[in-house]
Amino acid sequence: MTVSPLAPHTFPVLPDISGVALSTAASGMKYAGRDDMLLMRLEDGGTLAAVFTRSDMAAAPVVWCRQQLAGGGTPRALLVNAGNANAFTGDGGMAAVEACCRGMASRLGCAPGEVMMASTGVIGEEPLDTTILAAQFDSLVAGVAGWQAAAKAIRTTDTFAKGAGAGASIGGRTVHISGIAKGSGMIAPDMATMLGFIATDAALPRDVLAALLAEATKHSFNAITVDSDTSTNDSVYLMASGRAGNPPVSSAADPALDSFRAALDTVMQDLAKQIVRDGEGASKFITVRVAGAADDDAARRIGMAIANSPLVKTAIAGEDANWGRIVMAVGKAGAGVDPRQLDISVGGLRITAGGARLEGYDEAPVAAHMKGDEIDIEVRVGDGPGGARIWTCDLTHGYVSINADYRS
Amino acid sequence: MTVSPLAPHTFPVLPDISGVALSTAASGMKYAGRDDMLLMRLEDGGTLAAVFTRSDMAAAPVVWCRQQLAGGGTPRALLVNAGNANAFTGDGGMAAVEACCRGMASRLGCAPGEVMMASTGVIGEEPLDTTILAAQFDSLVAGVAGWQAAAKAIRTTDTFAKGAGAGASIGGRTVHISGIAKGSGMIAPDMATMLGFIATDAALPRDVLAALLAEATKHSFNAITVDSDTSTNDSVYLMASGRAGNPPVSSAADPALDSFRAALDTVMQDLAKQIVRDGEGASKFITVRVAGAADDDAARRIGMAIANSPLVKTAIAGEDANWGRIVMAVGKAGAGVDPRQLDISVGGLRITAGGARLEGYDEAPVAAHMKGDEIDIEVRVGDGPGGARIWTCDLTHGYVSINADYRS
């Protein structure tokens, strides 16, 4: 598989997170010659929060994890497999998750409900073959891996491994955040077809962690789209080991969390952007900014209409400054925009005013911007307070080839 | 341009409609060597109804026609141009429509507000050059054309001319319906990027005509999608000349209209299907049927989620029986479907039951169905009364080529 032209040059140096142990293994289930399993263990005293797909067809591992987390306990481990999504697999799929979590729990000396699971692959295949996975449990428990190996083990159609990290300070104590993600197609709002695993050594209560994760997800993984298609398996986990020994924090609103919040945003937005950069067939990274909407929801609806429009995405693939398609997309969003208030800029160059093309509009500099691999679209739709920023990629022959020419 | 492989073999024989006169002309504005203007005239005593795009960015001709029709008068003529959409053209665009309608009205001896206009082409170009169009007005008024010539004149990226006709009986009197349409890309619910012009010699009051048109639109032009993108210019007109001399009908609910309603459905559904068959790059015609939803709206939402999914559409382009992507699309529709109640059939072959793949599922016959050029997807989502039927096409390299490689 050719690496995306928009890929970062290198995998970043990510610090180990004290209190969170990683290990990987190769089950051989689908991918030859590479690891396809990941185990993340959280030591005593840690906390964990997670967000999941909003699909009505949530996969068996998502259903399992929601159930366990609703119980209120703190998970001790997270088991990940790539190559079989265990989605739409009925009772057999649920039984497979439970068997895996039981098997791992018995090795870790915890309850089955303290083991979480995340899976990615083709929907509706046979339920997970638990024997093939279980054969690797001992070596997973015995092993040690770094973040890059972990990021590699969770890939499916990804063309590069995705990682991001940042440091922060809570109450004068330095804390670290390291995270990895996978995702390339079936990427859309309400959690892209993606898995994200982020760990920190900060000490944070579970409810604070959940609030921080929900907030950061809104502007990262839920602000991207590749193809408008929402997966059954999306899961993002944030684990906090507490090993940094920062002073206790009891509320997500505590100003002591300002630095941590910013660092978490950095890590999650970096990972989200890497998923878009690995969008199937992507040749351009597109940022859509919407301002002046009635509220943030309306702005998001407009931004997603632009970012998901096949005609906008193919025009950008063709390096065509066809801004009329942006007008079309704003119109179809149904947010009640008055054409006279719609100002469109591409690459910082204003194109429209007063409901028509700007007088004396010169296409040449806009066309030049379209030749680059970072395309900026800004849309002002009125004088309201609502804004949104969406990341997406173009729609190319590569996307069709990847998705029409073999089963991914 | 290569003709779509899904095109009908011939243009149908369509009867002239007494009381509705057609003529075409070549302005040379954008297309060389072909007609690009159409004039439809409705003689005294006729009635007219229209439906338009719901885009917030409705084009100048749509704004003009809505205003005139709201006034309650009966239009006498409809002027159509292909090659410039006159959309997002501000005050200049409105002035251009008014100038055209004034010019034509003075030749026809009617009020400017009795002339309707419909335009199709690229959004946001210069406002219509009224001089170029007006130069053809005299020859349009003097000319006579048949339905096939009319259908050819309104094409843009269409690869074939689209027409359909049917006969019916009202109160024992035979009436005729003939119609044409254009559309290929930017085709989505709430009126595809399309124009449709249908005429009948039946005598029907305007409110009855409007009710019949709204009803028939729901199951024809509003039940198709090529690329989920909604145009700024969609317009469908239905004219009734009254020349057939049928007994008066005063309500759309009158059983005397049963035959006419069925014939109108036939004509409009035929035209709608032809637009899908000419979908940009289309290689397969896809019918999505949804049954058992809570209500028709939920069924439509699920059907559109499937029909608009790039992953479903590319799988079909690749003749891949990847039904997991249908599961994904149902899940993202957010209609609250229980996976255990989701039954998917492709080509009449049942694939799922009880929230998983059917036991003993044999992919071979489904794969054989995928090789054909008519793909049938049926989805039962529960025991509710809601149903929907959506027509769409696959997403191919051809779509990307058409839309990325030049400005259409």
Side-chain angles (χ1 to χ4, degrees):
Chain A
M1 200 176 304
T2 314
V3 173
S4 166
L6 305 175
H9 293 299
T10 55
F11 192 87
V13 177
L14 298 183
D16 290 340
I17 300 295
S18 172
V20 176
L22 309 176
S23 56
T24 61
S27 74
M29 181 182 282
K30 175 159 182 171
Y31 303 108
R34 54 158 274 204
D35 287 349
D36 58 356
M37 296 178 72
L38 166 66
L39 178 68
M40 291 181 76
R41 273 169 291 172
L42 178 60
E43 290 185 28
D44 269 355
T47 54
L48 179 148
V51 288
F52 300 104
T53 182
R54 288 183 208 151
S55 170
D56 287 339
M57 299 294 139
V62 170
V63 172
W64 168 266
C65 295
R66 275 204 188 110
Q67 284 169 354
Q68 307 312 321
L69 290 170
T74 290
R76 304 295 306 272
L78 170 61
L79 178 65
V80 189
N81 74 286
N84 183 323
N86 196 7
F88 208 74
T89 43
D91 293 336
M94 286 306 299
V97 176
E98 197 177 336
C100 285
C101 293
R102 269 191 197 290
M104 184 53 77
S106 73
R107 284 166 177 85
L108 298 177
C110 66
E114 292 174 337
V115 180
M116 304 287 97
M117 190 161 186
S119 301
T120 175
V122 176
I123 298 169
E125 301 277 294
E126 298 288 341
L128 273 187
D129 185 326
T130 55
T131 317
I132 291 182
L133 295 185
Q136 302 302 321
F137 284 1
D138 287 331
S139 93
L140 277 172
V141 170
V144 177
W147 285 105
Q148 185 166 10
K152 284 181 172 174
I154 63 175
R155 289 170 302 149
T156 54
T157 57
D158 303 63
T159 72
F160 61 90
K162 300 166 184 70
S169 163
I170 302 178
R173 183 69 69 135
T174 297
V175 302
H176 305 89
I177 305 175
S178 293
I180 57 173
K182 64 109 355 200
S184 179
M186 213 181 276
I187 300 291
D190 297 342
M191 301 304 302
T193 297
M194 48 87 51
L195 301 176
F197 308 117
I198 301 139
T200 177
D201 51 5
L204 294 167
R206 180 173 164 176
D207 59 336
V208 171
L209 208 62
L212 290 169
L213 177 62
E215 201 183 302
T217 300
K218 198 170 161 187
H219 302 292
S220 59
F221 298 120
N222 278 350
I224 61 176
T225 180
V226 166
D227 52 12
S228 82
D229 278 341
T230 304
S231 156
T232 50
N233 289 55
D234 307 327
S235 309
V236 174
Y237 284 86
L238 173 59
M239 299 177 180
S241 71
R243 290 297 180 89
N246 53 279
V249 176
S250 62
S251 155
D254 191 329
L257 287 175
D258 287 354
S259 158
F260 183 84
R261 177 179 276 112
L264 186 63
D265 276 343
T266 299
V267 170
M268 288 179 61
Q269 293 183 16
D270 191 342
L271 292 173
K273 284 197 275 190
Q274 288 186 53
I275 288 174
V276 171
R277 288 182 175 283
D278 205 6
E280 289 172 339
S283 76
K284 313 265 185 190
F285 181 90
I286 305 165
T287 303
V288 179
R289 285 190 181 78
V290 180
D295 53 37
D296 287 353
D297 278 354
R300 179 182 162 81
R301 207 154 63 239
I302 293 165
M304 280 293 180
I306 297 169
N308 279 326
S309 160
L311 288 170
V312 170
K313 292 160 91 84
T314 48
I316 292 172
E319 303 184 339
D320 180 0
N322 191 339
W323 56 271
R325 294 180 178 178
I326 300 172
V327 173
M328 174 282 299
V330 174
K332 83 167 172 166
V337 175
D338 176 349
R340 283 160 200 281
Q341 295 214 283
L342 175 60
D343 293 335
I344 296 174
S345 299
V346 172
L349 300 150
R350 180 82 171 273
I351 297 177
T352 69
R357 196 168 63 185
L358 203 62
E359 210 157 324
Y361 165 65
D362 177 13
E363 189 172 290
V366 177
H369 176 75
M370 302 299 290
K371 302 269 180 212
D373 61 12
E374 306 258 347
I375 306 297
D376 290 313
I377 296 173
E378 283 183 66
V379 166
R380 174 163 282 280
V381 297
D383 302 318
R389 186 214 53 226
I390 309 289
W391 291 309
T392 189
C393 57
D394 54 344
L395 171 57
T396 66
H397 285 291
Y399 181 86
V400 177
S401 293
I402 291 167
N403 287 300
D405 300 352
Y406 65 89
R407 190 171 306 187
S408 59
Chain B
M1 199 176 306
T2 315
V3 173
S4 166
L6 304 174
H9 293 299
T10 55
F11 191 88
V13 176
L14 298 183
D16 291 340
I17 299 296
S18 172
V20 176
L22 310 177
S23 57
T24 60
S27 73
M29 182 182 281
K30 175 159 182 173
Y31 303 108
R34 54 157 274 205
D35 288 349
D36 59 356
M37 296 178 72
L38 166 67
L39 179 67
M40 290 180 77
R41 272 169 291 172
L42 178 61
E43 291 185 28
D44 269 356
T47 54
L48 180 148
V51 288
F52 299 104
T53 181
R54 288 182 208 154
S55 170
D56 287 339
M57 300 293 139
V62 170
V63 172
W64 167 266
C65 296
R66 276 204 186 111
Q67 284 169 355
Q68 307 313 322
L69 291 170
T74 290
R76 303 294 305 275
L78 171 61
L79 178 65
V80 189
N81 74 287
N84 183 325
N86 196 8
F88 208 73
T89 44
D91 293 336
M94 285 307 297
V97 176
E98 196 176 337
C100 285
C101 293
R102 271 191 194 289
M104 185 53 78
S106 72
R107 282 166 178 86
L108 297 177
C110 66
E114 291 174 338
V115 180
M116 305 286 98
M117 189 160 186
S119 301
T120 175
V122 177
I123 298 168
E125 300 276 294
E126 299 289 341
L128 273 187
D129 186 326
T130 55
T131 317
I132 291 181
L133 295 186
Q136 303 303 319
F137 284 2
D138 287 331
S139 92
L140 277 173
V141 170
V144 177
W147 286 105
Q148 185 166 8
K152 283 182 174 175
I154 62 174
R155 287 169 303 151
T156 55
T157 56
D158 303 62
T159 73
F160 62 89
K162 300 167 183 73
S169 163
I170 302 179
R173 182 70 68 138
T174 297
V175 302
H176 306 89
I177 305 175
S178 293
I180 56 173
K182 65 107 358 197
S184 179
M186 213 180 275
I187 300 290
D190 297 342
M191 303 303 303
T193 298
M194 50 87 51
L195 302 176
F197 309 117
I198 300 140
T200 177
D201 51 6
L204 293 167
R206 182 174 163 176
D207 59 334
V208 170
L209 208 61
L212 290 169
L213 178 62
E215 201 182 302
T217 300
K218 199 170 161 187
H219 301 293
S220 58
F221 297 120
N222 278 350
I224 62 176
T225 181
V226 166
D227 52 14
S228 81
D229 277 341
T230 304
S231 157
T232 51
N233 288 56
D234 307 327
S235 308
V236 175
Y237 285 87
L238 174 59
M239 299 177 181
S241 70
R243 291 299 179 87
N246 55 277
V249 176
S250 61
S251 156
D254 191 329
L257 287 175
D258 286 355
S259 159
F260 183 85
R261 177 179 276 109
L264 185 63
D265 277 343
T266 299
V267 169
M268 288 178 61
Q269 292 184 16
D270 190 342
L271 291 173
K273 284 197 275 190
Q274 288 186 53
I275 288 174
V276 171
R277 287 182 176 282
D278 204 7
E280 290 174 338
S283 75
K284 312 265 186 191
F285 181 90
I286 305 165
T287 303
V288 179
R289 286 190 181 79
V290 180
D295 53 37
D296 287 353
D297 279 353
R300 179 183 161 81
R301 207 155 63 240
I302 293 164
M304 280 293 179
I306 297 169
N308 279 326
S309 161
L311 288 169
V312 171
K313 291 160 91 84
T314 47
I316 292 171
E319 303 184 338
D320 180 359
N322 191 338
W323 56 271
R325 294 181 178 179
I326 301 172
V327 173
M328 176 282 300
V330 174
K332 80 167 175 167
V337 174
D338 177 349
R340 284 162 199 279
Q341 294 214 284
L342 175 59
D343 293 336
I344 295 175
S345 298
V346 171
L349 301 149
R350 180 83 171 271
I351 298 177
T352 69
R357 196 168 61 185
L358 203 62
E359 210 155 324
Y361 166 66
D362 177 13
E363 190 173 288
V366 177
H369 177 75
M370 302 299 290
K371 302 268 181 211
D373 60 12
E374 306 257 347
I375 306 298
D376 291 312
I377 297 173
E378 284 182 66
V379 166
R380 174 164 283 280
V381 297
D383 302 318
R389 185 214 53 224
I390 309 288
W391 290 309
T392 190
C393 57
D394 54 345
L395 171 55
T396 65
H397 285 291
Y399 182 86
V400 177
S401 293
I402 290 166
N403 287 299
D405 300 352
Y406 65 88
R407 190 170 305 186
S408 58

